[in-house]
């Protein structure tokens, strides 16, 4: 079965976490077993990573999987 893209992945959050960790794209790519160009594509939201890739990125950055996802607030009138 082919990898499934994570639809709510946030490229800007990945960039922010990478910068917070003080890592270059190349360093993160090496730690997550990905290419630096691929990391750039993720950060620019031009490519969506698979679930496995998000797990590898989160592990390399020392963050939770959910920290790399974009979250919409629930409507305040929801019951």
């Amino acid at each position: 079965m082919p990898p499934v893209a994570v639809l709510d992945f946030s490229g800007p959050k990945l960039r922010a976490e990478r910068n917070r960790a003080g890592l270059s794209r190349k360093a993160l790519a090496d730690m997550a077993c990905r290419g630096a160009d691929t990391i750039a594509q993720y950060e620019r939201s031009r490519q969506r990573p698979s679930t496995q890739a998000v797990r590898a990125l989160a592990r390399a950055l020392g963050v939770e999987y959910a920290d790399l996802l974009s979250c919409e607030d629930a409507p305040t009138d929801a019951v």
Side-chain angles (χ1 to χ4, degrees):
M1 183 158 80
V4 177
V6 177
L7 298 179
D8 52 355
F9 174 78
S10 173
K13 283 189 177 183
L14 173 62
R15 180 181 295 123
E17 290 295 342
R18 179 179 61 76
N19 288 333
R20 182 194 56 74
L23 296 172
S24 67
R25 284 188 183 126
K26 172 83 170 99
L28 176 57
D30 290 346
M31 293 170 70
C33 299
R34 301 289 182 270
D37 290 339
T38 301
I39 300 299
Q41 294 298 315
Y42 293 163
E43 287 184 352
R44 293 180 183 125
S45 299
R46 292 185 180 159
Q47 182 178 344
R48 291 186 179 167
S50 68
T51 302
Q52 294 162 333
V54 176
R55 284 191 185 116
L57 292 165
R59 201 172 20 254
L61 291 165
V63 299
E64 297 293 322
Y65 181 95
D67 292 335
L68 299 178
L69 305 180
S70 58
C71 299
E72 296 293 325
D73 291 334
T76 55
D77 61 346
V79 177

